[in-house]
Amino acid sequence: MSDALQATADHIATRIGSALTAPPAIAFGELTLTIARDEIVRVLTALRDDQQLQFSILIDLAGVDYPKEAERFEVVYHLLSITKNARLRVKLKVGEGQPVLSVASVFATANWFEREAFDMYGILFSEHPDLRRILTD
């Protein structure tokens, strides 16, 4: 891990360490955090509001399907800090039928991304302001 990414990982661990389910890792040149499902709102709020991090943009939210695993789905959040010129990936595992808290209150763009993951994968987002199909009938 590069010194800058290690410093970022260390700082994040001090802020949200209890939410991590695995040590921070590097994948595709970006820091990746794996967190507990019920911690997503707290974690994304901390990453956005921390003055040393400033991950103020949710670039994307994606669903990933691992059909043979007990917790079949992964929800992946891609964040950008313009001021720090850094990207961060946050992942969580979720089983079929288990809800993930919506982060639309943290990042408005999550509204559409969550609807897409719901429509394409059936991933449920609790407390979503308008969880309905967006792409399919």
Side-chain angles (χ1 to χ4, degrees):
M1 196 177 297
S2 76
D3 290 344
L5 287 177
Q6 184 61 57
T8 301
D10 292 344
H11 179 73
I12 289 171
T14 64
R15 290 292 316 261
I16 61 149
S18 63
L20 295 172
T21 60
I26 298 292
F28 307 104
E30 295 177 11
L31 187 59
T32 300
L33 307 175
T34 304
I35 66 164
R37 177 173 46 97
D38 58 345
E39 295 282 354
I40 189 61
V41 172
R42 181 178 75 84
V43 167
L44 292 190
T45 301
L47 294 170
R48 181 195 65 192
D49 295 346
D50 186 294
Q51 289 304 303
Q52 283 187 254
L53 301 170
Q54 298 181 27
F55 286 101
S56 59
I57 299 175
L58 175 66
I59 295 174
D60 194 16
L61 179 157
V64 183
D65 188 2
Y66 298 101
K68 295 184 181 183
E69 293 187 17
E71 289 185 305
R72 175 178 181 166
F73 299 109
E74 208 169 60
V75 181
V76 184
Y77 303 80
H78 295 270
L79 304 175
L80 173 66
S81 172
I82 294 173
T83 57
K84 304 298 181 182
N85 190 26
R87 293 176 186 269
L88 177 69
R89 183 178 304 105
V90 179
K91 305 187 314 182
L92 60 85
K93 299 288 280 179
V94 61
E96 199 166 349
Q98 293 178 316
V100 177
L101 278 170
S102 172
V103 296
S105 63
V106 181
F107 293 106
T109 56
N111 186 317
W112 285 87
F113 295 145
E114 289 174 351
R115 286 178 65 188
E116 182 181 44
F118 165 69
D119 196 6
M120 300 307 291
Y121 293 97
I123 299 170
L124 301 171
F125 292 91
S126 62
E127 300 181 25
H128 188 280
D130 186 20
L131 192 63
R132 60 188 160 102
R133 296 197 177 280
I134 192 171
L135 299 170
T136 64
D137 295 337

